[in-house]
Amino acid sequence: VSLWDGFYVKLLGGTGGITTDSFSLNGTSTSADYGGGWMAGMSIGRQFNENVSVELEWAYRSNDLDGVRRGGSTFGDGDLASTGLFLNLGWMFDGWGAAGTRWRPYAAIGAGFMEEVDMDLTSAGIEDVSDTWVPAIQGVVGLEKELGSRWALFGEARYLYAGDADLSAESGVRQNVTVDYQGWSALVGVRFNF
């Protein structure tokens, strides 16, 4: 029996979006228009039996910030980005097909922190405002295709909720920004079982 029996690693990536336009600048409520985005990440986990797994995940997300309305003007051309660290608890359903070629649906819930949430919107005087260790939760549903005993491909949908992130500048002109940070991701990836 190997020390690594039951362990696996995953690489994943895909697209995503922010689902709320709530935005506050220096205490004044306004709204933001977010554009497309992407996400990439990796995880290492342990499959305890055919169904239950626990994994530690790190991921990077970035979304375009197309515009922030302030007064009668709209300022654009920025981005909202984050890095996150999560502990996910997963359940793999039995699925269908023969062992090594099965299709297996799965679901997971995760809790952790956005290590850093960072925004840049230079045209509105907002540059390098950030917050650290913002608590967050996520839900995951997906489908895995086994490619033998070691490899598998998967596709999944996620929803992330981190609530209000209070962003501020560490230096320079002080700008205080609050964003309601939540959104979806559609991802594909590969899994290797040790």
Side-chain angles (χ1 to χ4, degrees):
V1 177
S2 167
L3 177 66
W4 290 98
D5 280 354
F7 283 91
Y8 63 86
V9 293
K10 289 165 52 170
L11 297 175
L12 53 89
T15 187
I18 303 294
T19 57
T20 176
D21 66 356
S22 177
F23 189 96
S24 174
L25 176 59
N26 295 326
T28 301
S29 295
T30 180
S31 58
D33 295 323
Y34 295 99
W38 61 276
M39 171 181 165
M42 62 182 298
S43 63
I44 182 167
R46 175 79 189 275
Q47 192 77 40
F48 290 97
N49 54 41
E50 276 287 302
N51 304 109
V52 179
S53 65
V54 173
E55 65 184 31
L56 183 65
E57 173 191 282
W58 179 89
Y60 177 85
R61 295 171 172 83
S62 180
N63 284 88
D64 293 337
L65 181 52
D66 292 338
V68 171
R69 286 176 283 281
R70 188 167 70 176
S73 302
T74 298
F75 300 88
D77 194 24
D79 69 88
L80 178 64
S82 69
T83 55
L85 190 65
F86 285 85
L87 188 65
N88 298 325
L89 174 64
W91 179 269
M92 184 79 73
F93 296 92
D94 294 336
W96 56 94
T101 63
R102 288 178 295 181
W103 293 88
R104 302 190 68 188
Y106 62 90
I109 55 173
F113 296 91
M114 310 311 293
E115 296 173 88
E116 182 176 34
V117 180
D118 176 88
M119 175 182 285
D120 291 294
L121 189 63
T122 306
S123 62
I126 302 169
E127 189 164 0
D128 198 25
V129 292
S130 63
D131 193 7
T132 56
W133 301 108
V134 179
I137 56 174
Q138 65 180 357
V140 182
V141 292
L143 181 65
E144 180 182 277
K145 170 60 175 175
E146 294 177 342
L147 304 176
S149 61
R150 296 283 191 184
W151 294 92
L153 299 176
F154 62 87
E156 63 184 41
R158 298 181 172 209
Y159 197 85
L160 167 79
Y161 178 80
D164 287 343
D166 297 316
L167 316 180
S168 60
E170 294 183 2
S171 61
V173 178
R174 186 158 186 84
Q175 296 277 15
N176 295 300
V177 175
T178 300
V179 295
D180 186 5
Y181 196 47
Q182 55 182 303
W184 60 271
S185 300
L187 307 170
V188 293
V190 61
R191 167 172 163 158
F192 176 77
N193 302 306
F194 290 99

